[in-house]
């Protein structure tokens, strides 16, 4: 897709002085895409790292690659950059041969030079690249070059990170810059009635400006701490109309077919067709649930904006600068060429957090204070209460078996939309999804998303089990008008779907008296899946039987049934206080050809830890006064004291294309932990998070 | 009244109001941006600095509390041999993803090893428990600290 829109070598690679610049529309969000792109070019062109750079990801300059999400970066940007580099390699060799003679086979690329072997002829690769015509098309069919030795792992930015010199968006400090904070309403139904005038006077006396547009309220000033204090005092001086309070809907009760738009899912894709009848007399029925959870980036969202009177210059950590530009331009009735957005790193978010909302809010403040760069930072409370959450979800599973084999399998997913990014669309979808537009004087109603009918998109991602079941019945149930704004978080529906399917596989295995791995193998037809489970089994054999008093769980999934295959085993202990302690984990993965093994391992481990946190700790809570999980005490997450030893095994299947792995491990992690708790205690936990309280309640209900 | 702070061995006269939390003074007045702000509630560890050799969270306590004390920030960590070892080990283990938690963790690891040269894994985990990482770099951070002890 990226290659069709940007077919020239110079769309992706340009010589700039003594460096080759890589152009990409994908942004680094902690998943190390820039490191992987640099390695791809290094492997192809043998350039030393100092001669490679990544161009700023900026609207109007970078290729428009939509949103950095869905683990697609390597397949899209990676494939395009690789093909551009292979073309550049071939054409540069042609020039060398034309200028200096010999056959292409006489020439090698080494250390930034094109060298004719057996001679002392060495020409700078960057110079030769400068001689290529600017409209040189990419030849997508050229084979990839495989160097004898892979370049050493060298994560971009790591030295700056450990010495405190890496610049995050939050660290920008421009001359004349002002800081800003917002004053958030108590909850999403509240509107601003009035502000005590003397509080505004007080703030203004200290050089603080108060910006108001309807119920959107912010303060800005030259010194950050003064702004933080002003936001607090002004917050107390506001009177809000609470609109009858925040709805205390019982969300899990509401996630039911009778409240849903229903679509059968065939081969991973929802259909506009009648839903087939439920299975008759299933041998096993169970429902699995996940509460609302948050991205909870370590740094609250931020953005920097400056308005010149005619143009807006924005720095954002959004994962989709082009769609965001359209949404902001549309909201402000500007033409898109008057808005420029540059990506500057924030902290790892793994989905759609407050980044886009903060960018728009910074723009609103900047327009009120022209020619002043405005650095808006959300507070920790703002982030916890206002970022778009991952939707609560419920999956009903039913299965029938004959002679130890599954003959029919039904899975019905229920949730609100996973698609809240400000993408353009009908009914001004882009602006409607920016938070501040709900509160401005000219308020827009909350956006109601149409069902996502894409293959393995949204809630039905990985709803289709990877196993060869003779009869499958899969249904997507889109339930809307729930209390919270929701959007994309790492893996979308795959977390709950894999949790449901893989716990069910364990329960079916135990009904037949089969070992969980053998039971799965008996239902798999993909040889690469079987190889992953065999390797997992071998590692477990090496580890020996689990110690008494502990539990062991396994799970398997292939992300989107098409990307990285992952098998996970987890050993847990459950303490007397019913706390689940993670002792040890094994992750076996097949991502095809491995480009950056260290980065891939980091993604798989990172996915494990985040999913362990979802499984054991995380849950958004609220009451009629609004969100009650507003900090890291009321919204606990996993900490170092429960991090297990993790063994990662990469099955490098070199001849297969590289596929993304950033979202491959979380689903099976949650399921493996649930299966391990079951093994240890006999309790089948069907609602996340598996906290001590939840375990105690499950034990009492036995 | 002006305050004076010794930061990374250098004395600074501070103009900020005495009620300003230390992290804002470091970042905004002294332009030492390596110390991060994550919560402002002493819950996440992003703002950790060393004060007289101990880890201190800098996002709540007002700067006046630190008058006359020796403060080391991430920018001064390489002044000690232990700090250099920790930083080198973090690089070799690529113990970061987005890196936002990293300076706090490097500070905490340096303080830990200055106090206990060879902590066992339980002691290391306990010392790092006030620190959050939302990218899941934990296993690498633990390996980096082991490596720093071994070298
Ligand atoms: S910013 Fe100080 S502990 Fe979070
Ligand atoms: S590396 Fe992103 S928060 Fe730790």
């Amino acid at each position: 897709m990226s290659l069709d829109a940007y077919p020239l070598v110079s769309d992706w690679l340009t010589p700039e002085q003594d460096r080759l610049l890589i152009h990409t529309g994908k942004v680094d969000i902690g998943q190390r895409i820039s490191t992987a792109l640099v390695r791809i070019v290094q492997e192809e062109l043998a350039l030393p790292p100092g001669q490679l750079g990544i161009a700023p990801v900026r609207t109007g300059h970078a290729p428009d690659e939509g949103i950095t999400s869905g683990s697609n970066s390597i397949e899209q940007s990676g494939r395009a950059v690789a093909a551009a580099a292979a073309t550049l390699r071939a054409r540069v060799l042609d020039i060398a041969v034309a200028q200096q003679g010999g056959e292409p086979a006489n020439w090698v690329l080494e250390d930034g030079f094109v060298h004719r072997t057996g001679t002392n002829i060495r020409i700078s690769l960057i110079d030769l690249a400068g001689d290529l015509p600017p409209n040189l098309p990419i030849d997508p069919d050229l084979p990839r070059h495989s160097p004898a030795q892979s370049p050493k792992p060298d994560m971009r930015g790591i030295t700056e990170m450990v010495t405190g010199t890496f610049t995050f968006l939050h660290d920008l400090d421009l001359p004349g810059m002002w800081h800003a904070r917002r004053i958030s309403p108590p909850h999403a139904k509240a509107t601003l009635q009035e502000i005590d005038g003397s509080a505004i006077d007080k703030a203004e006396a200290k050089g603080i400006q108060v910006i108001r547009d309807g119920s959107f309220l912010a303060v800005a000033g030259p010194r950050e701490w003064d702004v933080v204090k002003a936001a607090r005092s002004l917050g107390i001086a506001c009177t809000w109309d609470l609109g009858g309070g925040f709805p205390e809907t019982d969300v899990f009760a509401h996630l039911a077919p009778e409240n849903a738009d229903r679509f059968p899912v065939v081969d991973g894709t929802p259909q506009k067709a009648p839903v087939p009848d439920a299975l008759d007399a299933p041998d096993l029925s169970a429902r699995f649930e996940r509460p609302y959870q948050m991205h909870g980036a370590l740094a609250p969202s931020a953005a920097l904006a400056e308005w010149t009177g005619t143009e807006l210059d924005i720095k954002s950590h959004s994962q989709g600068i082009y769609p965001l530009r359209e949404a902001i331009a549309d909201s402000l009735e500007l033409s898109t060429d008057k808005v420029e957005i540059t990506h500057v790193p924030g902290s790892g978010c793994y989905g759609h957090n407050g980044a886009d909302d903060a960018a728009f809010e910074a723009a609103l403040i900047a327009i009120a204070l022209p020619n002043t760069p405005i650095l808006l930072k959300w507070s920790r409370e703002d982030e916890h209460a206002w970022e778009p959450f991952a939707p609560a979800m419920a999956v009903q599973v039913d299965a029938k078996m004959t002679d130890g084999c599954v003959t029919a399998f039904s899975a019905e997913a229920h949730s609100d939309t996973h698609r809240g990014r400000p993408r353009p669309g009908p009914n001004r979808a882009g602006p409607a999804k920016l938070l501040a537009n709900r509160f401005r004087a000219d308020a827009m109603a909350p956006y109601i998303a149409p069902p996502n009918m894409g293959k393995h998109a949204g809630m039905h991602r990985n709803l289709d089990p990877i196993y060869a079941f003779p009869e499958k019945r899969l249904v997507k149930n889109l339930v809307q008008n729930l209390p919270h704004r929701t959007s994309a978080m790492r893996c979308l529906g795959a977390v709950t779907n894999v949790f449901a399917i893989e716990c069910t596989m364990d329960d079916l295995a135990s009904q037949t008296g089969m070992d969980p791995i053998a039971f799965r193998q008996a239902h798999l037809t993909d040889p690469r899946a079987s190889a992953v489970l065999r390797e997992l089994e071998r590692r477990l054999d090496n580890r020996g039987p689990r110690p008494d008093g502990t539990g062991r769980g396994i799970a398997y999934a292939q992300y989107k049934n098409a990307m990285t295959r992952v098998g996970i085993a987890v050993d847990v202990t459950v303490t007397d206080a019913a706390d689940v302690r993670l002792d040890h984990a094994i992750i076996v993965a097949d991502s095809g050809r491995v480009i950056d093994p260290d980065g891939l391992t980091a993604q798989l481990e990172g996915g494990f830890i985040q999913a362990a946190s979802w499984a054991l700790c995380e849950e958004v809570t609220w009451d009629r006064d609004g969100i009650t999980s507003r900090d890291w005490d009321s919204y606990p997450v996993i900490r170092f004291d429960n991090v297990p030893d993790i063994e990662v095994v990469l099955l490098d299947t070199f001849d297969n294309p590289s596929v993304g792995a950033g979202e491959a491990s979380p689903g099976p992690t949650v399921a493996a932990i649930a299966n391990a708790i079951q093994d240890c205690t006999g309790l089948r936990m069907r609602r996340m998070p598996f906290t001590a309280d939840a375990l105690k309640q499950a034990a009492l209900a036995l | 009244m002006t305050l004076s702070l010794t930061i990374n061995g250098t004395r600074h006269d501070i103009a900020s109001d005495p009620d300003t939390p230390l992290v804002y003074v470091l970042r905004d007045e002294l332009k030492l941006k390596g110390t991060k702000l994550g919560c402002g509630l002493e819950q996440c560890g992003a703002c950790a600095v060393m004060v007289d050799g101990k880890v201190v969270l800098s996002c709540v306590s007002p700067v006046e509390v630190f008058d006359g004390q020796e403060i080391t920030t991430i920018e001064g960590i390489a002044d000690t041999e232990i700090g250099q070892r920790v930083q080198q080990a973090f690089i070799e283990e690529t113990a970061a993803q987005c890196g936002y938690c990293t300076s706090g963790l490097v500070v905490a690891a340096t303080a830990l090893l200055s106090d206990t040269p060879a902590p066992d894994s339980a002691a290391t985990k306990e010392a790092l428990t006030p620190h959050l990482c939302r990218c899941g770099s934990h296993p690498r951070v633990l390996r980096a600290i082991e490596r720093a002890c071994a070298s």
Side-chain angles (χ1 to χ4, degrees):
Chain A
M1 158 198 134
S2 297
L3 259 184
D4 294 340
Y6 296 91
L8 303 181
V9 172
S10 59
D11 289 328
W12 302 94
L13 297 170
T14 55
E16 208 105 329
Q17 285 153 4
D18 54 354
R19 293 194 310 165
L20 192 66
L21 274 191
I22 302 171
H23 302 264
T24 169
K26 299 290 183 184
V27 299
D28 245 320
I29 48 171
Q31 91 290 34
R32 303 200 200 169
I33 180 64
S34 60
T35 297
L37 294 177
V38 165
R39 284 177 69 89
I40 286 171
V41 178
Q42 265 183 298
E43 288 191 359
E44 199 67 49
L45 300 177
L47 280 168
Q51 286 188 22
L52 277 170
I54 302 261
V57 185
R58 176 175 293 150
T59 52
H61 300 264
D64 178 358
E65 296 190 88
I67 304 226
T68 303
S69 69
S71 303
N72 293 321
S73 301
I74 276 292
E75 285 191 74
Q76 294 171 1
S77 225
R79 204 160 283 177
V81 167
T87 308
L88 191 141
R89 177 188 178 89
R91 298 293 97 83
V92 154
L93 284 172
D94 292 346
I95 303 182
V97 170
Q99 285 180 358
Q100 304 279 347
E103 294 293 320
N106 303 133
W107 291 82
V108 291
L109 269 58
E110 55 185 25
D111 210 23
F113 290 93
V114 186
H115 173 210
R116 184 165 172 188
T117 47
T119 73
N120 58 3
I121 305 175
R122 285 158 71 83
I123 319 170
S124 149
L125 179 99
I126 307 276
D127 287 351
L128 282 178
D131 293 341
L132 293 173
N135 56 354
L136 178 67
I138 291 173
D139 179 349
D141 300 323
L142 285 174
R144 292 268 297 275
H145 175 71
S146 309
Q149 252 192 338
S150 274
K152 265 187 44 194
D154 183 17
M155 176 185 160
R156 286 174 60 81
I158 182 74
T159 304
E160 292 79 1
M161 287 170 186
V162 306
T163 52
T165 53
F166 187 90
T167 302
F168 293 90
L169 177 50
H170 308 69
D171 303 326
L172 295 178
D173 204 342
L174 305 185
M177 183 181 91
W178 275 26
H179 292 270
R181 290 288 191 279
R182 39 181 247 166
I183 291 113
S184 303
H187 56 66
K189 302 283 177 225
T191 46
L192 183 55
Q193 249 173 358
E194 65 168 307
I195 315 169
D196 177 351
S198 67
I200 299 183
D201 295 345
K202 250 202 213 146
E204 286 177 352
K206 289 197 189 130
I208 303 279
Q209 293 284 326
V210 178
I211 297 98
R212 178 176 177 184
D213 180 352
S215 296
F216 172 75
L217 187 62
V219 285
R223 293 165 69 93
E224 188 171 9
W225 177 241
D226 291 345
V227 172
V228 173
K229 281 195 292 189
R232 281 183 198 160
S233 356
L234 212 63
I236 299 166
C238 291
T239 311
W240 301 91
D241 176 343
L242 297 175
F246 194 70
E248 291 181 279
T249 319
D250 178 348
V251 169
F252 287 121
H254 215 74
L255 289 174
E258 57 270 26
N259 301 318
D261 285 334
R262 309 183 74 205
F263 305 92
V265 176
V266 178
D267 189 24
T269 312
Q271 317 284 318
K272 288 204 170 102
V275 170
D277 289 343
L279 298 192
D280 181 36
D283 297 302
L284 185 149
S285 289
R287 185 172 139 118
F288 295 83
E289 295 167 335
R290 179 194 201 186
Y292 288 98
Q293 294 183 321
M294 61 178 293
H295 305 81
L298 188 61
S301 295
L304 193 143
E306 184 171 2
W307 170 246
T308 63
T310 51
E311 289 180 13
L312 255 179
D313 178 5
I314 299 175
K315 312 269 187 291
S316 167
H317 53 100
S318 163
Q319 287 175 261
I321 52 173
Y322 280 101
L324 176 62
R325 174 171 74 161
E326 274 193 56
I328 290 180
D330 185 353
S331 303
L332 299 170
E333 293 172 14
L334 292 171
S335 74
T336 44
D337 63 347
K338 297 293 179 216
V339 181
E340 181 174 88
I341 306 184
T342 308
H343 179 265
V344 177
S347 73
C349 60
Y350 301 101
H352 174 209
N353 70 348
D356 300 79
D357 298 317
F360 178 48
E361 292 168 9
L364 290 175
I365 302 166
I367 288 174
L369 302 166
N371 299 313
T372 310
I374 300 292
L375 178 58
L376 168 70
K377 290 183 192 158
W378 279 16
S379 69
R380 173 47 50 201
E381 263 200 81
D382 291 336
E383 190 78 22
H384 266 64
W386 292 96
E387 66 145 275
F389 302 133
M393 195 158 153
V395 180
Q396 171 69 40
V397 181
D398 298 279
K400 291 171 79 157
M401 289 212 291
T402 309
D403 299 334
C405 282
V406 178
T407 50
F409 190 94
S410 160
E412 287 207 36
H414 312 73
S415 92
D416 202 338
T417 185
H418 292 249
R419 216 188 203 188
R421 293 186 196 270
R423 285 189 179 88
N427 303 324
R428 300 186 70 214
K433 289 190 253 182
L434 291 170
L435 182 62
N437 278 331
R438 294 193 192 177
F439 292 102
R440 295 170 71 199
D442 195 4
M444 294 181 77
Y447 183 74
I448 301 292
N452 187 342
M453 306 298 274
K455 185 168 185 173
H456 282 280
M459 86 174 78
H460 53 284
R461 182 165 293 173
N462 281 85
L463 179 65
D464 189 352
I466 194 72
Y467 304 101
F469 300 145
E471 185 190 335
K472 288 185 196 175
R473 174 187 177 271
L474 308 168
V475 185
K476 169 188 177 105
N477 292 281
L478 178 62
V479 180
Q480 298 192 306
N481 293 312
L482 291 170
H484 302 293
R485 184 169 72 122
T486 56
S487 192
M489 186 158 83
R490 195 177 200 168
C491 313
L492 310 186
V495 178
T496 320
N497 292 328
V498 172
F499 167 41
I501 294 169
E502 288 298 295
C503 288
T504 303
M505 288 303 279
D506 257 40
D507 290 344
L508 293 169
S510 99
Q511 278 192 9
T512 58
M514 268 174 94
D515 164 79
I517 292 186
F519 184 75
R520 284 171 175 79
Q521 291 282 28
H523 289 87
L524 282 169
T525 49
D526 166 25
R528 288 170 70 184
S530 296
V532 166
L533 281 180
R534 269 200 310 280
E535 180 62 20
L536 187 68
E537 193 161 34
R538 200 176 68 78
R539 300 273 162 167
L540 285 172
D541 287 346
N542 290 347
R543 228 179 112 63
R546 59 170 178 72
D548 276 351
T550 68
R552 176 171 291 170
I554 68 125
Y556 173 79
Q558 179 181 13
Y559 192 54
K560 300 184 194 173
N561 289 2
M563 298 174 83
T564 296
R565 296 158 169 86
V566 172
I568 291 188
V570 183
D571 286 2
V572 305
T573 309
V574 177
T575 67
D576 292 343
D579 283 314
V580 178
R581 311 285 313 163
L582 303 174
D583 300 327
H584 187 91
I586 304 173
I587 305 174
V588 180
D590 173 354
S591 301
R593 175 176 176 165
V594 175
I595 294 164
D596 173 12
D598 187 58
L600 187 57
T601 305
Q603 289 274 289
L604 293 163
E605 285 173 344
F608 179 93
I609 302 271
Q610 184 167 32
S613 187
W614 294 335
L616 298 178
C617 312
E618 300 187 28
E619 175 168 18
V620 170
T621 55
W622 72 97
D623 62 19
R624 68 190 313 274
D625 297 326
I627 301 291
T628 48
S629 47
R630 285 179 173 256
D631 60 17
W632 297 121
D633 280 345
S634 46
Y635 186 89
V637 297
I638 202 165
R639 289 180 179 260
F640 271 94
D641 58 357
N642 202 10
V643 170
D645 294 331
I646 305 179
E647 206 179 314
V648 176
V649 186
L650 304 178
L651 303 180
D652 190 341
T653 53
F654 194 83
D655 294 333
N656 293 302
S658 305
V659 286
E663 297 164 294
S665 61
T669 296
V670 173
I673 292 174
N675 287 337
I677 294 171
Q678 213 279 340
D679 184 43
C680 186
T681 61
L683 301 173
R684 171 50 77 201
M685 301 304 294
R686 296 193 180 89
R687 180 184 290 181
M688 299 159 66
F690 320 135
T691 59
D693 278 348
L695 261 70
K696 285 180 207 158
Q697 279 188 14
L700 284 175
L702 275 186
Chain B
M1 181 193 86
T2 63
L3 294 167
S4 100
L5 296 183
T6 309
I7 297 167
N8 304 328
T10 309
R11 267 177 65 108
H12 296 270
D13 290 331
I14 301 301
S16 304
D17 284 346
D19 74 343
T20 312
L22 177 60
V23 68
Y24 293 99
V25 176
L26 295 173
R27 290 177 52 86
D28 299 336
E29 186 172 338
L30 305 175
K31 308 292 177 197
L32 295 168
K33 304 272 186 184
T35 305
K36 303 300 176 200
L37 188 60
C39 65
L41 304 164
E42 296 187 334
Q43 293 176 348
C44 78
C47 63
V49 298
M50 259 198 290
V51 178
D52 296 330
K54 297 264 174 281
V55 182
V56 169
L57 301 175
S58 64
C59 61
V60 173
S61 299
V63 61
E64 60 187 346
V65 170
F66 300 93
D67 195 14
Q69 292 180 320
E70 294 270 344
I71 298 165
T72 308
T73 68
I74 183 70
E75 290 86 354
I77 281 294
D79 293 350
T80 66
E81 189 270 330
I82 296 179
Q84 288 172 15
R85 250 198 287 145
V86 167
Q87 285 179 326
Q88 192 52 36
F90 267 65
I91 292 172
E92 280 161 17
E93 294 289 344
T94 49
Q97 290 207 37
C98 78
Y100 203 83
C101 62
T102 311
S103 33
L105 286 166
V106 167
V107 168
T110 305
L112 172 68
L113 298 195
S114 309
D115 194 57
T116 318
D120 62 16
S121 131
T124 302
K125 287 180 180 177
E126 192 189 310
L128 299 186
T129 290
H131 296 258
L132 294 182
C133 169
R134 292 293 289 157
C135 300
S137 72
H138 310 68
R140 310 174 155 254
V141 170
L142 296 170
R143 289 200 286 274
I145 294 175
E146 262 175 43
R147 180 189 276 262
C149 296
S151 59

